[in-house]
Every structure is written in C-alpha cells, then in structure tokens.
Amino acid sequence: MAIIGVRTRTALAAAATLALSVLAPVGAATAAPQPAVQYGAGTGTPYANPASLGFADTYADPSVIRGKDGWWYAYGTTDPLREGETTRHILPMSRSKDLVSWQYVGDAFTEATLPAWADRTRGAALWAPDIRYVDGRYRLYYVVTDTTVTAEPNDNAIGVAFSGSPTGPWTDSGGPVVGPRRGGAGEPGNFLWTFDPSHVVGPNGTEYLFYGSYYGGIWVTELNADGTRAVGAATRVAIDNKYEGAYVVQRNGWWYLFASSANCCAGPTTGYSVHVGRSRDLRGPYVDREGVPLNQSRAGGTPVLAQNGNRWVGTGHNAVVTDLAGQDWTLYHAIDRNDPYLTGTDGINERPMLLDRLDWVGGWPTVRAGTWASEGSQPGPITGGSTVTDFTAGSGDFRTVGFGRAAEPQTGTALFSASRGVNTALTSQSLPAPVRVEADVRTDPGATGEHGVVAASSPGNGIAAAVDPATRRLVVTTTHGGAVTGSASAALPADYDPTDWHSLALEVRGGTAWAELTHARLGDPVAQVTLALPAGTSSTGPAGAFARDAGVRVDNLSAVRAATPVGQQIPLPTPGRLLTDSSDEFDGSTLAAGWQVVRDPAVTVEGGSLVWPVESKDLTGPGGNAGLLLRDAPEGNWTAETKLSIDLGTDTVRNFQQGGLIAYVDDDLFARLSHVAIWNTRQTEFGKEMPYAGRTSYGGTIVGPPAETTWLRLVHRVDPANGEHELQAFTSTDGSTWIRGGVWTLPAGSDVRVGLLSHGNQGGDPATSRFDWFHLYAD
C-alpha cells in the first residue's frame, strides 16, 4: 500500500468531488419519511437444502461463479442427474439469480464434443470442474480420467476449456494443463491422482493451479500466461493419503487452502468433510489454527464442515462464493443418509449440492458458526433489492447522469458516455454504514478516465474506490468539503487490461474503507486497498458508480447494507460430573470393577496405565473379532474421555493400527474414535459401521491431528425429535485445546456401551496403546 502521487490525488479529487456533488440526496431540503424496511438492506430468498433439488438429485463437486450477466452459475461432476436416469451429463451446468433457486442450462460437453485427447475407448469421464473468468474469457478446468497421452489405463490429467459465455460452447485447449504423473516405475496404469483442479490468480497477476488427491497429495504449480500449461516445478502443499478437493481463496493477507478428507463415497457412512490451513505464501507452507502443517505425516487441518447428526453426511468438496452484502457462502455436496445412492442400494452415491453460510471467526472459516450443514429453512444470501441492478430493465433505484444504454451480449449495461465532467449512477436515498458497493467495470479501447464506485456521497463529500488506468493503480479516496482528506492505493498487475471486465467492491465499516478488484469475485484479488477513515468522514449517503470522462462501462451495480459478521463459534460442550464408579485411573495392578471384557484382549495395568498391544484383528466388515473393553453408559447425556499414547511413529506404513474410544452396540453397529495409521499418515478418525442393504457399511470422518499423546473425547446426546443417539468426536494434543469433529448417530433404542479398543494391525510390527485413564461424565 502506498500514498498516491500528486497527479493522481488531483485527478481523483476532481473526479470524486464531481461524483459526490452532482446529485444531492432526495429529501435534502425536506426530510423524507423513512421506509419501514431500512433502505438498501438488500434481499435474500429463504431456502432449504439441497440447493440442487429443483433440477438434480445428484450434483457433486460443485464450482460456482457470478457471471458477467449477473447470474450465478454452478457446475457439477459427470453423472446422471436424476434417480433412474442412465445417461451421464458431462459437467452439467446450472444458473440462479439468488444462489437458492437453480435451473439446469445444459452440459459443458457431450459424448461427441469431449476433448480430443480424452480416451473414449476407455470411457473417459470429466470430473470436478473449476470455473473461472480471466482475461475476458470464462475458463473451465476439469479432470480427464483417461487420456490418449499414454496407452495405459488411469492416466488422469487436468484439462481446460474456454468460452465467451458461462454456458459455452466450450473449446478445449487441445491437451493437458497438468499431464499424467506416474506413481510407480514399471507399473502399467500406476498414475498419481491428478484430480480436483483449483485455479487462482496470485501476486502480480501470476496464475497458479492447485490439484491432486489421496494418491500423491495436493500440489500447486505455476501456469503459463493463458492458463493452459503448467510451468516450472510443482510444490506439494498437503500430504498424500489425507486430502483432496482443494479450493483456495485469499483473505486479509492469508491464502486459505480448503481441502476435503476421508472417503467421498461410502453411502450412508460417508464421512467426507472439509478442513483448512492457511499461509502467507500461496505456495505454502499451510498450517492449521494450532500451527500444525498440512504437509506432514501427522497432518494438520482445522475442521470447517462435517456432518452434525441431521440427515446430511459426507459434506465435502466445497467452493466459496460471496453475496452482495459481503457474506461468504459455501457450496458443497453431501449425502442424505436415508437415500445414499442415486439408484437402488449401491452404485453411484447421490450427492446433491448444498448451500450454507461461511463464517470467519478469529481468522478461521467455519460453516454456520460451527453448527455446519443446515436442514430446514434458512435465511438466504443477499442477492437482490431496489439498489441492485444489471441494467436489463433500467437502472433500478439509481439516479443517473451522463450515461447512455448500449447493447452487450446477454445483458444490458450502463455506458458512461458524457465526454466532460463526471458520469454518475447514485442511489436515490442515503445508505448508512456498514455499506458495500459493487460493480463490474471495464473501458472501451482508448478510454483513460478514472472510474469506480462510491459510498457515503453528498455534495463535496464521500468515499470512493477507483481504477486509474493512467497510473495503473486501485485508489481509495475520502473527500470532505471538496478536498481529498485521505487516500491510499495499490498497483495493478503489469498484465491488467482495463478493457476486460473486472469486479470492483468497496466496503465501509467501523472507521475503515476497504476496496478490492478481482477478475470474478472468487477470492483471488488483482489488488486490495485499506484506508482508515480520517476523523470527521461521513459514512452515510448515496452510493453507486462513477466515471471521469466517457467510454466506461458498468454492469451488475449494487449498493446494500454490508453483512454483520458472526463474531464467535458455538461453544464447545464441556464434560459434566465425573462418574468415579464408571471411570478408571489405571493406577493399580488390575482393571477397576465394572469393565466388560469382550474376546479377552491381552491387556495389563502397569505404571499407571492400561497397556494394550495392537491386536492383529479388527471390527470392520462381517465377523469382527477384535477384543474390547466396555462399560455401561449412563442414561441421557454423557461424555467419555481418554488420554492415549500409541507408538505409531510417523511416515512409515503401519495400516491400520489404532487405539481409541468406542461407542458399541454390536460388532456390526458401532462408532469408534481412534489415533490410526493410514498408510504414511497418522490421523484421528471417527468411524462408523452399520448394517445396510444386507451388508455392512463403514466410513470415517477426520478430526484434529494426533500427537505422541492424544486426548480423545466422545460426547453423547439423545436427539429429542427422534430418539437417536448422537455421538460427536473431539480431539486434543494438550488436554485443553479441543478440536470439534463430526457426529455419527446410532439408532433410537440401542443399548450403547462405551469403552476402549486397540486393534487393526495388518501384519506389521504391532504398536502398543497406553491409556492413562478412562473417564465417564454425566450431565
């Protein structure tokens, strides 16, 4: 950030002064009666998940953008859309005016128009789209599951297609952006999973692509100037065997890497969930809220979204979108545990698209303040109102001076056409802070006048954010009495082209003005500026857009009351009264009374711990044969907790050795929380097994990172609506800072016992679980 020079200050002062004085607010001489609803509050449509219900039963891996025509567009992975349908839709597309009601608008590709390098003979599919708008064109990145690059199966790669419209037609670039990557020498068909692209524009306009999955990890690579090919060496930012589905945004100087963990597609026991890490550098290293890196064996990752006990499980593969009030939302897919498959009881998992509010608390994102996936009616995003217009039916509640209408593809637009003075489009009434003003802006070739958005305007006063093509800077200016009282600016990238559409936002709140210029409102800004408002700066007045001189085009103009951020997450539950008769400190030479020993595990009590070598047995699948130590659980609400040390080490493969807690009904119906070795990683997995359709179904969700010693907690509640047992997992590496995890349910009326486990060894050297104590609490 730098203070702008004299020439720019003078030009901006003239522009801002004229913009802010050309119109006085309606009622300046005589106060107008106040409307019943606060002016400029914006409107949103209430909704209930799933968001894709109106056009699709499944719509996995969603990606979203606000098009330059004012519609929001979402794209899904290749699947049939409806139950019983047998024809696949290759990257289906949908659109919405309010982010709530969506309509299908076709497929990005057909069987006939697949990229030429997609191997049709092996049934190539396109997965996990990522939509962008850069340099005046829409881009759609995607996975090609089988290519003609090699003659081997599974040689997956990343491709990209271009269009002048968000619905196509799409033209593939002609080859991979990131090609197939071998996972093992001399093994045909052994390719790392080059899945799940996420494109960002980084510092100085350089483009990057994140990609990868469990087999290989998540990587980031620089792209060439048109985004069609990877250049240079890629950097791994998240370890293999834990994360996929990257999505990256910048906020307050941090880059946030969202990533999904666990199995995406385990039917009713799918535990897919979203975690996050952040870094000052786009290339990492990314760490979680507790400072644990995502790119190590005991990988970090702060939970953002997981199942919460309602109908939705498998809540993952998210994208982020911002409404017109500045509130972030996340689109993601999930599975209705009561209807987990698209057709029948097997095959394609039915993963509709969901929408929920994304909050930022203390610099970290979480969905709905930590309550996560919603069920039932919710307030919708702010997407409309009298002070929102795309100029297709006039200028809405904006008073305009010095502009004419011009035809543009798919939409109307405001063309500021007066060749002298300042052209303006301002709200007819005053908007109080906090306020957010947005517009898409571009210039005709040769136009050089400053242009932007303005808030709190009155004759000679106001707060403006402007693009200055002459100096190639984004400038925020405050004006009082016709004079500039404060200003700050940031340079635009060398490749910035003012004739391409860009999105400009100005937000005024709490004594600060903040502006951002982006390609398409997707969290990767071209430039950002923050200015502390000088004393005496008014934060109330009309708002809108302005341009100095002719040849500036404005579209999708909005001026609404800015969203009120959520300030804190819901509190973590705390254990109630310790039940001493149901707990065990393991401070003697034998187990305390009350333990029920299942299949006689080889345990000893020594040195103040329960010592239990990991058994070469397991519970998952039919015929579980692992030993257990169980106790009767109290009625009502309770909490079980243990302190576990298990010598799994790091990095080596010790599948699937684990120790932990279990809530147990029988060998085919249980939920277990373990510190577990999963290939080269060490994770805390909260898994569930249940009978389903004549077989057992197992899946897990991931909580916080483990350590040499890890505290594990299960919190039990009974759902008053249906009597189900709800069990939520928590983990800690110090016994005081707890990480909130997902919820599994057990059927109403089940006789639930709770206890300890140490099993899962698949033939390696067994680790040993050492439990310092087992505590049971009742509320």
Side-chain angles (χ1 to χ4, degrees):
M1 185 186 302
I3 302 300
I4 59 178
V6 174
R7 196 209 68 80
T8 304
R9 286 177 59 95
T10 303
L12 241 318
T17 300
L18 282 167
L20 305 174
S21 62
V22 69
L23 285 176
V26 169
T30 304
Q34 293 298 306
V37 177
Q38 186 176 34
Y39 182 73
T43 59
T45 305
Y47 74 98
N49 279 317
S52 58
L53 180 64
F55 73 95
D57 295 319
T58 193
Y59 206 67
D61 304 342
S63 181
V64 63
I65 193 171
R66 192 185 191 206
K68 299 306 178 182
D69 59 359
W71 290 79
W72 273 272
Y73 290 86
Y75 305 76
T77 208
T78 297
D79 269 326
L81 291 180
R82 290 295 191 185
E83 293 184 355
E85 186 178 9
T86 58
T87 300
R88 67 178 186 172
H89 293 264
I90 303 174
L91 304 184
M93 304 177 291
S94 58
R95 72 175 187 172
S96 173
K97 269 295 187 183
D98 57 12
L99 286 170
V100 169
S101 301
W102 293 85
Q103 56 187 253
Y104 170 68
V105 290
D107 300 332
F109 291 91
T110 67
E111 302 293 348
T113 63
L114 276 172
W117 55 279
D119 193 334
R120 292 168 170 78
T121 64
R122 287 186 269 136
L126 306 187
W127 291 349
D130 182 58
I131 183 67
R132 300 285 152 169
Y133 178 88
V134 184
D135 298 336
R137 292 193 297 174
Y138 293 93
R139 296 185 192 172
L140 193 61
Y141 291 88
Y142 39 79
V143 180
V144 179
T145 60
D146 292 273
T147 80
T148 59
V149 177
T150 79
E152 302 170 38
N154 308 315
D155 59 342
N156 46 90
I158 303 296
V160 64
F162 296 87
S163 177
S165 160
T167 56
W170 296 96
T171 301
D172 179 78
S173 69
V177 179
V178 179
R181 301 172 298 144
R182 291 199 176 275
E187 300 178 48
N190 186 347
F191 291 92
L192 301 179
W193 291 357
T194 307
F195 295 171
D196 300 347
S198 178
H199 174 278
V200 297
V201 177
N204 303 317
T206 305
E207 297 184 35
Y208 294 87
L209 190 74
F210 289 77
Y211 61 90
S213 183
Y214 303 126
Y215 187 28
I218 295 177
W219 296 73
V220 59
T221 183
E222 186 177 333
L223 298 178
N224 63 358
D226 63 2
T228 60
R229 299 292 183 268
V231 296
T235 302
R236 197 180 74 176
V237 293
I239 196 168
D240 51 330
N241 296 304
K242 183 166 184 179
Y243 287 123
E244 66 172 14
Y247 195 88
V248 179
V249 300
Q250 188 194 75
R251 184 180 177 91
N252 295 333
W254 293 94
W255 290 95
Y256 288 84
L257 169 61
F258 294 83
S260 294
S261 66
N263 190 338
C264 73
C265 308
T269 55
T270 300
Y272 211 45
S273 55
V274 179
H275 297 244
V276 74
R278 73 181 187 182
S279 174
R280 290 293 188 186
D281 189 323
L282 185 145
R283 287 184 174 268
Y286 287 86
V287 300
D288 67 12
R289 186 177 52 205
E290 280 64 52
V292 182
L294 274 63
N295 195 26
Q296 66 178 31
S297 178
R298 293 177 182 145
T302 297
V304 175
L305 172 65
Q307 66 263 28
N308 58 15
N310 63 16
R311 66 194 265 208
W312 301 114
V313 297
T315 53
H317 201 118
N318 74 308
V320 177
V321 65
T322 306
D323 72 11
L324 300 183
Q327 173 64 56
D328 283 341
W329 297 76
T330 186
L331 287 169
Y332 59 98
H333 71 238
I335 293 174
D336 184 343
R337 59 188 170 102
N338 302 309
D339 183 20
Y341 293 99
L342 189 61
T343 301
T345 58
D346 208 342
I348 298 172
N349 281 229
E350 184 171 314
R351 298 176 288 168
M353 178 175 70
L354 276 64
L355 170 74
D356 276 307
R357 193 186 72 238
L358 182 67
D359 298 320
W360 296 84
V361 180
W364 292 93
T366 186
V367 172
R368 298 177 60 239
T371 59
W372 299 339
S374 68
E375 184 176 25
S377 181
Q378 303 292 317
I382 300 302
T383 55
S386 63
T387 52
V388 176
T389 181
D390 62 5
F391 296 102
T392 55
S395 55
D397 201 7
F398 290 92
R399 297 275 304 278
T400 56
V401 172
F403 87 98
R405 293 288 301 280
E408 289 289 312
Q410 299 186 355
T411 184
T413 184
L415 170 62
F416 288 122
S417 56
S419 59
R420 299 184 61 185
V422 173
N423 307 262
T424 62
L426 296 176
T427 57
S428 62
Q429 296 184 45
S430 291
L431 287 166
V435 64
R436 184 179 176 96
V437 191
E438 287 197 47
D440 287 335
V441 296
R442 71 175 181 87
T443 66
D444 290 341
T448 60
E450 298 96 345
H451 53 278
V453 292
V454 62
S457 73
S458 62
N461 305 307
I463 306 163
V467 175
D468 185 351
T471 62
R472 304 184 65 81
R473 301 189 76 84
L474 174 65
V475 187
V476 175
T477 305
T478 57
T479 306
H480 183 72
V484 173
T485 56
S487 62
S489 71
L492 300 174
D495 63 351
Y496 173 75
D497 185 349
T499 65
D500 292 334
W501 284 112
H502 287 81
S503 299
L504 177 60
L506 170 66
E507 194 166 297
V508 179
R509 70 164 73 239
T512 299
W514 169 86
E516 176 181 72
L517 188 69
T518 63
H519 286 283
R521 310 175 76 258
L522 289 176
D524 50 351
V526 171
Q528 289 180 317
V529 178
T530 300
L531 175 66
L533 299 180
T537 302
S538 172
S539 57
T540 299
F546 73 92
R548 181 174 174 80
D549 297 327
V552 173
R553 297 177 184 269
V554 173
D555 207 348
N556 302 317
L557 176 61
S558 61
V560 301
R561 184 171 179 82
T564 301
V566 170
Q568 60 184 11
Q569 295 195 39
I570 59 170
L572 298 178
T574 55
R577 173 177 52 89
L578 178 66
L579 302 176
T580 55
D581 291 343
S582 297
S583 302
D584 197 339
E585 301 299 328
F586 303 128
D587 55 3
S589 57
T590 60
L591 293 170
W595 285 105
Q596 300 163 33
V597 179
V598 178
R599 287 182 285 268
D600 199 22
V603 300
T604 57
V605 179
E606 56 186 66
S609 298
L610 172 71
V611 181
W612 191 346
V614 172
E615 297 180 320
S616 298
K617 302 174 181 179
D618 210 327
L619 279 185
T620 57
N625 60 358
L628 299 170
L629 293 178
L630 301 175
R631 301 187 81 90
D632 291 331
E635 295 292 326
N637 298 336
W638 50 264
T639 298
E641 193 173 290
T642 192
K643 179 183 177 183
L644 167 67
S645 300
I646 182 170
D647 55 346
L648 290 172
T650 61
D651 298 294
T652 57
V653 176
R654 304 184 73 172
N655 289 342
F656 287 99
Q657 299 190 46
Q658 61 192 283
L661 292 168
I662 188 168
Y664 176 89
V665 178
D666 58 44
D667 285 346
D668 294 331
L669 183 58
F670 59 85
R672 68 184 182 191
L673 173 61
S674 303
H675 177 176
V676 56
I678 302 176
W679 297 98
N680 57 314
T681 70
R682 306 297 182 260
Q683 304 183 40
T684 55
E685 182 191 63
F686 186 34
K688 176 186 177 179
E689 182 168 275
M690 61 177 284
Y692 179 77
R695 61 185 187 275
T696 58
S697 179
Y698 179 84
T701 188
I702 306 304
V703 195
E708 291 185 9
T709 298
T710 307
W711 285 254
L712 304 173
R713 178 185 286 173
L714 287 179
V715 175
H716 171 270
R717 299 288 184 264
V718 176
D719 188 326
N722 57 26
E724 284 186 326
H725 299 270
E726 296 182 346
L727 292 145
Q728 186 166 22
F730 298 83
T731 67
S732 175
T733 57
D734 61 9
S736 59
T737 302
W738 290 88
I739 308 299
R740 186 196 321 264
V743 176
W744 288 120
T745 62
L746 298 173
S750 297
D751 181 13
V752 180
R753 292 180 285 172
V754 62
L756 302 173
L757 61 89
S758 181
H759 60 233
N761 185 16
Q762 293 193 342
D765 293 333
T768 298
S769 298
R770 298 178 181 272
F771 298 91
D772 276 22
W773 37 258
F774 171 86
H775 289 167
L776 198 56
Y777 306 84
D779 289 359

